[in-house]
Amino acid sequence: MRRKFIVGNWKMHGLREGGATLASDLAGRMLGAGPVAFDMLLCPPATLLHTVAQAVADAPVKVGGQDCHGKDSGAHTGDIGAPMLADAGCSHVIVGHSERRQGHGELSADVKAKAAAAHRAGLVAIVCVGETEAERDAGRAMDVIARMIDDSVPDGATAANTVVAYEPVWAIGTGRTPTPGDVAAMHSMIRRRLATLVDQPDAVRILYGGSVKPDNAASLLHIDDVDGALVGGASLKADEFWAIAETCR
Ligand code: PEP
């Protein structure tokens, strides 16, 4: 009942020409593949949203932002409001990525406000949570993630407007991944936690993120309660991103 969801987070990479080429390549593969068992979302930098939205306009590929402000508009230099993302052609926005939490001091309360802003704009919020290596080593990973879920998922969250991404901080961009058993235990705990916050927790998609590559995608994506992947580095190469997506076919 939950379709797999393959999300590319391009982070701060790409100029117009390369972004258009990558997006067009993936759009062509989606159109050529016929029916597939997954949904695809590309989250380019804000400067490329329009370019990418145009490149995938005729294909079953969605476009998302990498962050939004908790307010809809105002005197917030350098920030982007969720209504602006919707206006640029986005259907989704990532909120609470660890690179925002750590690099920009965002707290779960900020993430909650951003997710609520996304919902007001009609966007699906992809709410990211993840423990640090020190927290995992201290045996606190489950508690930390439970708390992040409680504090980051806003009132009014539903399976239709919210996706959760579990991304252990120590696995992002490092080539390291948790064991399938650890991922299964964490995703199952997240779903139980969501049961206290949303009406249909079984319908919420929970993605895994952190060094997903073509050679480990199948083992991660076939775990119970893993409903897709949030992919960073490997989403910048069409062949790698497509190979990851194809493990869902
Ligand atoms: C990410 O940025 O969300 C991510 C998972 O990155 P990577 O795939 O490069 O680890």
Side-chain angles (χ1 to χ4, degrees):
M1 100 198 206
R2 296 186 301 268
R3 252 172 90 76
K4 292 275 198 256
F5 194 23
I6 304 298
V7 181
N9 173 16
W10 292 7
K11 310 194 187 195
M12 197 172 74
H13 294 290
L15 302 178
R16 270 183 301 165
E17 191 179 339
T21 302
L22 177 55
S24 301
D25 184 327
L26 292 165
R29 292 181 198 228
M30 283 296 268
L31 285 168
V36 290
F38 57 87
D39 298 324
M40 180 178 284
L41 172 73
L42 305 180
C43 299
T47 49
L48 296 186
L49 286 172
H50 181 64
T51 301
V52 170
Q54 281 189 319
V56 302
D58 296 330
V61 177
K62 294 183 183 301
V63 182
Q66 296 179 9
D67 180 46
C68 68
H69 198 278
K71 298 248 169 67
D72 297 342
S73 64
H76 304 290
T77 303
D79 284 316
I80 298 176
M84 297 169 180
L85 294 176
D87 187 50
C90 293
S91 54
H92 292 67
V93 59
I94 298 169
V95 293
H97 192 283
S98 64
E99 288 154 13
R100 302 290 316 174
R101 291 180 187 260
Q102 296 199 327
H104 297 263
E106 289 182 8
L107 305 172
S108 288
D110 302 313
V111 177
K112 188 179 207 170
K114 287 169 183 246
H119 294 164
R120 284 196 299 278
L123 299 177
V124 177
I126 301 176
V127 178
C128 300
V129 295
E131 82 283 359
T132 63
E133 186 159 31
E135 288 165 341
R136 177 156 286 271
D137 289 348
R140 296 180 47 229
M142 289 277 184
D143 288 347
V144 166
I145 300 303
R147 182 81 188 265
M148 286 177 108
I149 293 286
D150 290 351
D151 294 349
S152 304
V153 174
D155 293 345
T158 67
N161 68 18
T162 304
V163 171
V164 171
Y166 168 57
E167 299 205 301
V169 177
W170 52 272
I172 294 179
T174 62
R176 297 165 57 204
T177 54
T179 65
D182 284 345
V183 174
M186 187 61 82
H187 279 233
S188 157
M189 185 284 289
I190 290 172
R191 195 171 302 288
R192 287 197 304 279
R193 205 75 188 182
L194 287 171
T196 65
L197 301 166
V198 302
D199 279 346
Q200 292 183 297
D202 286 340
V204 177
R205 294 197 279 195
I206 305 175
L207 314 182
Y208 168 78
S211 294
V212 178
K213 307 286 178 205
D215 61 359
N216 62 17
S219 64
L220 290 162
L221 285 164
H222 292 137
I223 296 169
D224 276 355
D225 282 316
V226 173
D227 304 312
L230 180 49
V231 185
S235 73
L236 296 171
K237 294 186 181 133
D239 284 345
E240 289 194 19
F241 192 56
W242 185 250
I244 290 168
E246 277 202 307
T247 64
C248 304
R249 291 182 99 188

